[in-house]
Amino acid sequence: MPFETDSAAGAAAAGTGAAPALEPFRASQSLTLGVELELQLVSLSDFDLVPASPDMLDLLARAPFPGNVTPEITQSMIEINSSVHTGHGELLAQLREIRDTLVRAGDRLNVGVCGGGTHPFQQWSQRRIYAKPRFREVSQLYGYLAKQFTVFGQHVHIGCRSGDEALYLLHALNRYVPHFIALSASSPFSQGSDTSFQSARLNSVFAFPLSGRAPFLLRWDAFAEDYFNRMAGTGIVRSMKDFYWDLRPKPEYGTIELRVCDTPLSVERAAALACYLQALCRYLLEGNEPAPREDDYLVYNYNRFQACRFGLDGTLVHPQRHEQLPLREDILTTLRRLEPHAAALGSGAALDLLYRESHTGSDATFLRQAFEADGSREAIVDAALRRFRAGE
Amino acid sequence: MTDPYVSLAQLAWPLALVLSWMAGEILFRWTGLPRISIYGLAGFAFGNLAKGFAAPTDDNAFLLLANLGFGLILFELGYRINLRWLRANPWIVATSLAESSLTFVAVVLVAQAFRMPALAASLLAALAMASSPAGLVRVFNEQQAGGQVTERALHLSALNCVLAVFAYNAIVGIGVFQTSGNLGHAAAASLLVLGASALLGSVAGMLVPRWLRGMGRAGSSGGDATMTFALAVLLLVAVTHVLHLSPVLAALSFGLVARHRRSALGVAQRNFGALGDLLSVMLFVYAASTLDWQHVWAGLGLGTLLVIVRLTVKVGVCAAFARVSGISVRKGALSGLALAPMGVFAVLLIEQTRRLGVDLFHSLAPLAAIALLLQLAGPLISQRAVIAANETPYDKEA
């Protein structure tokens, strides 16, 4: 979910009536990474979403939390984020610690915690907006879209040395966005029905006016002045948080943020996806591919749709060569190409997990199997809860 | 030519139900008062006004209908209980045992201090242990409540109802033994009734999911499962009614067993939809109509005192166990407060006993007062508790 609390700069500017300026890009160590996960809070009595985030946050506040935990727009969601890491081992260890803490707290409150991009049968109209001014504002602006946006994503941040590096990476990654959609897809059901999509979640994101892709600008100064300031001047945006792009720069953290992933069913997959992005960024920064062009985006929405609809069985159109590529094959080829980078970053195990998943199927496949095996929608949630708790 | 009085008597009940329902809708809209409190008030007024020309309380059919409504609610409660939570957080069970037993002791002591005979005081205390699931489930559904106060109140209510039914039947058994001296008769009046009722419910809880799975309906809309469950509850309640067993335990164990074997079932519709709404109007109007104004008046003093004592114990114990069980003391106290409702549960249990030939209202005047007070104020207190705990949608409060 993209509704973050407002930035200090934006709020201050709003107070004075002046158009807010984009804050300078804070350089950070290249290729560091951090993960945010939006998680579902489920009643263990009936497996429906439950407005339990105030109670969970209250209980979690009693002891130090490994990482960070915050409320999200509806009370049936919770967001966690890791610290900044350099490698797979430490990221995974922290995510596991966070998971165990959440599961323990949930057990005391009859609340199940799980991943998955959507809840299979929750009704959006029953969701409840978290009592926070920003969330209420958003709810008033977007109406039912805000409650319909009870979907759960994983965001991955990658550290960049400069704004220019961030924009280069952001656009160079455009051709790989479908990989992340297909590998993380875990939202085949929505509002009680099979959507026939592998990731139905991203369709909810498209309803928002400032979603999609970032404008094709490769220099930070140009981005700040030619784009952001003009947009701010229209009064539509106050900070970067108002853009719900698939990939967006995050100047205050000195990162780019990938936002297309469904929350996977396990923290192991979440860590693996983050490390895949990290290795890919290392590969791209070494100049192994032709520079991105604006025309790359001609096929962007189509490729994105293929990944959402068919997942690993989708077909891509290469943005520059315009050849058709089976998505699964393209992922496997990329994984092989990234092996030396993964070795240098110490994330071989992460890529191995994705390699296996490319063969066995995504979380969406797993959830459909759970439904077929048992025939009930509750069984899908039950399977997701078990996978989150047990891992892998 | 039909006697006009007979015609009037035949129309009295349907008219009372329609008027109660309309009053409930209007006052809910204007004041936000729980609908079931209004039904109770209307039922009490009607029952006392109608005395002499329409005597619904003598009608077995109305007791059966009320029990059907109650059975649906109990099934829904059982269906919402997660026994694994009680294992994961044993403090919930500890809270329940403490609040139920201390309520029992406190009520016995106060009642005896007012010279009530030991047996009568114990029966009153056993009933005071329970929090009426009818009140809780209806109010929470009406408020779309969700959160720890809601969850805990529902689980505590299920537990204290079971404890209350056991205590109540055991005491009735002792009473029967003291009167008849026949141990077999006494046992039949208590433990056998409980065992057989729970067994019947459990069997239904195993058979119905199997039927649903066999019919391949589990994956389709929840409506199919709702219909099946509703019919099964109706049958179960009718069987317990005929066999003089406890519909409370049977319906509750049906819900519990079905829920824990549910891996193949859809979600039952909240409140059982329009059918549940209709039966609950009957249930709450009927339950209050059995209360006699003279009994209420005679027992008002002690009854009010007992209501206060009962609620103080429940709030105190839930608050005391709150932090250790994972919530704030405030939320603990609010979940104790949410346990206020009692009326319908007590009334139906007493009506059940009356069918066994023991009329407790005559010996338990304060009970009529308690039942009335808590049937009106109980749902309101529960409603206020979940609102104070921020467990209702904020746009509803605005």
Side-chain angles (χ1 to χ4, degrees):
Chain A
M1 285 299 310
F3 302 125
E4 293 145 298
T5 39
D6 217 346
S7 67
T16 60
L22 183 60
E23 56 197 293
F25 193 90
R26 260 176 61 179
S28 56
Q29 192 187 331
S30 194
L31 299 177
T32 47
L33 79 171
V35 165
E36 295 165 9
L37 294 176
E38 290 153 357
L39 296 165
Q40 311 193 24
L41 298 179
V42 170
S43 162
L44 292 175
S45 291
D46 62 10
F47 295 113
D48 199 356
L49 286 180
V50 62
S53 68
D55 298 314
M56 279 290 275
L57 291 167
D58 191 47
L59 180 58
L60 290 168
R62 291 189 191 177
F65 191 79
N68 196 16
V69 58
T70 47
E72 255 298 344
I73 182 158
T74 69
Q75 293 185 347
S76 307
M77 323 173 73
I78 207 163
E79 178 173 315
I80 61 99
N81 62 264
S82 73
S83 318
V84 180
H85 295 288
T86 53
H88 179 235
E90 50 181 304
L91 172 67
L92 181 57
Q94 189 185 32
L95 287 179
R96 281 179 168 157
E97 210 184 325
I98 289 174
R99 172 197 63 197
D100 293 343
T101 309
L102 289 174
V103 166
R104 268 199 306 276
D107 281 347
R108 289 184 73 189
L109 300 180
N110 201 30
V111 173
V113 183
C114 67
T118 52
H119 183 281
F121 62 85
Q122 65 100 9
Q123 296 297 317
W124 63 264
S125 57
Q126 289 175 4
R127 302 285 61 91
R128 198 171 297 171
I129 303 295
Y130 192 93
K132 206 170 177 178
R134 160 77 172 172
F135 292 153
R136 290 188 181 185
E137 273 174 36
V138 163
S139 167
Q140 273 158 14
L141 174 62
Y142 291 114
Y144 86 118
L145 288 181
K147 285 185 182 177
Q148 276 212 328
F149 217 8
T150 303
V151 291
F152 307 84
Q154 170 181 0
H155 301 166
V156 183
H157 287 265
I158 299 288
C160 301
R161 281 169 296 200
S162 67
D164 289 355
E165 184 178 288
L167 289 174
Y168 171 79
L169 269 183
L170 187 152
H171 292 295
L173 280 167
N174 81 79
R175 113 152 191 73
Y176 294 102
V177 163
H179 288 203
F180 291 91
I181 296 173
L183 284 169
S184 69
S186 60
S187 49
F189 298 94
S190 179
Q191 305 289 306
S193 303
D194 191 327
T195 60
S196 79
F197 275 65
Q198 299 288 97
S199 169
R201 167 184 156 273
L202 276 181
N203 297 327
S204 309
V205 185
F206 250 168
F208 286 82
L210 299 174
S211 62
R213 46 158 284 219
F216 191 75
L217 293 164
L218 290 167
R219 296 278 164 236
W220 185 256
D221 291 346
F223 178 79
E225 285 157 27
D226 295 346
Y227 183 75
F228 185 87
N229 288 351
R230 283 164 57 206
M231 282 298 280
T234 66
I236 297 173
V237 298
R238 287 193 292 183
S239 78
M240 280 304 296
K241 287 167 186 162
D242 293 313
F243 293 110
Y244 306 144
W245 297 329
D246 295 345
L247 268 157
R248 73 177 180 196
K250 194 84 174 167
E252 68 268 36
Y253 294 166
T255 62
I256 54 163
E257 182 186 12
L258 176 75
R259 303 155 53 81
V260 295
C261 295
D262 284 359
T263 301
L265 296 182
S266 69
V267 294
E268 285 78 5
R269 288 193 183 207
L273 284 164
C275 291
Y276 182 44
L277 182 64
Q278 184 195 33
L280 203 49
C281 288
R282 188 177 192 272
Y283 163 80
L284 292 169
L285 285 176
E286 285 187 1
N288 289 309
E289 294 216 337
R293 304 174 316 191
E294 184 147 25
D295 274 2
D296 292 354
Y297 284 102
L298 289 174
V299 295
Y300 182 79
N301 282 346
Y302 180 78
N303 286 347
R304 191 181 185 275
F305 161 77
Q306 280 280 326
C308 289
R309 171 70 178 84
F310 301 107
L312 295 164
D313 295 320
T315 306
L316 293 183
V317 177
H318 191 283
Q320 298 193 345
R321 300 198 298 270
H322 293 180
E323 59 183 310
Q324 303 257 337
L325 303 166
L327 183 45
R328 181 181 277 107
E329 285 308 312
D330 197 42
I331 291 173
L332 292 171
T333 311
T334 310
L335 284 170
R336 274 194 294 276
R337 201 174 291 150
L338 292 182
E339 271 169 15
H341 300 278
L345 293 164
S347 55
L351 268 53
D352 284 347
L353 182 69
L354 297 181
Y355 184 83
R356 287 200 300 277
E357 184 185 334
S358 302
H359 288 89
T360 54
S362 64
D363 284 338
T365 312
F366 172 81
L367 293 173
R368 284 204 171 96
Q369 283 166 350
F371 180 67
E372 275 158 28
D374 211 285
S376 82
R377 300 173 302 182
E378 283 87 349
I380 307 169
V381 185
D382 197 24
L385 289 168
R386 285 171 202 270
R387 178 157 275 199
F388 187 76
R389 189 182 282 262
E392 282 296 304
Chain B
M1 195 74 184
T2 319
D3 182 349
Y5 278 106
V6 174
S7 307
L8 196 60
Q10 282 174 343
L11 284 178
W13 259 100
L15 262 175
L17 290 176
V18 170
L19 291 176
S20 306
W21 174 76
M22 286 171 69
E25 291 304 308
I26 291 170
L27 285 173
F28 177 73
R29 185 164 298 179
W30 284 354
T31 63
L33 283 172
R35 291 181 176 92
I36 53 175
S37 292
I38 315 294
Y39 300 159
L41 193 60
F44 180 65
F46 170 73
N48 282 280
L49 280 175
K51 213 158 280 166
F53 72 92
T57 49
D58 295 337
D59 193 343
N60 225 4
F62 275 100
L63 178 59
L64 178 60
L65 276 179
N67 268 323
L68 294 179
F70 196 43
L72 289 180
I73 290 171
L74 280 166
F75 171 82
E76 187 174 340
L77 176 70
Y79 205 69
R80 285 169 73 165
I81 296 302
N82 177 20
L83 291 175
R84 290 187 196 97
W85 185 28
L86 306 181
R87 207 169 51 206
N89 190 350
W91 288 109
I92 307 289
V93 181
T95 309
S96 178
L97 289 174
E99 67 94 0
S100 304
S101 49
L102 283 176
T103 304
F104 183 86
V105 172
V107 171
V108 165
L109 289 178
V110 174
Q112 286 198 306
F114 281 78
R115 298 172 196 278
M116 190 181 266
L119 192 69
S122 307
L123 282 171
L124 193 58
L127 291 172
M129 289 162 76
S131 302
S132 179
L136 292 185
V137 171
R138 295 299 305 188
V139 167
F140 291 168
N141 285 349
E142 188 170 272
Q143 294 295 316
Q144 297 170 22
Q148 282 302 294
V149 169
T150 310
E151 281 290 290
R152 282 169 195 240
L154 287 174
H155 280 75
L156 291 174
S157 157
L159 289 171
N160 68 23
C161 275
V162 172
L163 292 172
V165 170
F166 268 81
Y168 182 82
N169 279 279
I171 295 162
V172 168
I174 292 168
V176 171
F177 178 60
Q178 281 178 349
T179 330
S180 69
N182 183 339
L183 193 60
H185 186 190
S190 54
L191 293 177
L192 275 180
V193 167
L194 298 177
S197 310
L199 184 70
L200 258 182
S202 306
V203 169
M206 284 187 273
L207 291 182
V208 175
R210 199 170 290 178
W211 159 268
L212 278 166
R213 211 172 292 139
M215 295 301 286
R217 286 176 162 187
S220 59
S221 71
D224 286 331
T226 306
M227 183 69 186
T228 315
F229 281 133
L231 282 171
V233 169
L234 299 190
L235 179 63
L236 186 64
V237 168
V239 170
T240 51
H241 193 77
V242 169
L243 296 178
H244 292 244
L245 297 174
S246 162
V248 173
L249 264 191
L252 195 58
S253 37
F254 177 25
L256 263 174
V257 174
R259 180 248 179 273
H260 284 84
R261 300 179 66 85
R262 170 184 45 189
S263 54
L265 301 180
V267 176
Q269 220 179 323
R270 286 272 184 269
N271 280 345
F272 281 91
L275 171 71
D277 287 341
L278 174 64
L279 284 173
S280 83
V281 180
M282 290 187 181
L283 170 63
F284 286 92
V285 174
Y286 166 78
S289 74
T290 62
L291 302 173
D292 185 298
W293 172 245
Q294 279 159 346
H295 289 151
V296 170
W297 185 247
L300 196 59
L302 180 55
T304 311
L305 178 65
L306 289 175
V307 164
I308 293 168
V309 168
R310 171 181 179 270
L311 208 52
T312 308
V313 172
K314 289 196 185 295
V315 171
V317 171
C318 290
F321 280 87
R323 262 196 85 75
V324 71
S325 69
I327 52 172
S328 64
V329 173
R330 181 172 180 273
K331 281 217 164 185
L334 288 172
S335 46
L337 215 50
L339 292 175
M342 183 184 133
V344 163
F345 178 84
V347 166
L348 289 187
L349 219 53
I350 286 169
E351 288 300 319
Q352 204 71 28
T353 322
R354 178 147 51 194
R355 293 183 70 226
L356 298 175
V358 189
D359 190 353
L360 289 169
F361 273 128
H362 291 291
S363 52
L364 295 181
L367 180 64
I370 296 173
L372 181 67
L373 283 173
L374 287 178
Q375 195 163 336
L376 304 185
L380 184 63
I381 296 173
S382 296
Q383 183 203 46
R384 294 292 135 182
V386 285
I387 289 174
N390 290 325
E391 295 192 1
T392 53
Y394 87 89
D395 34 337
K396 204 177 180 75
E397 290 164 50

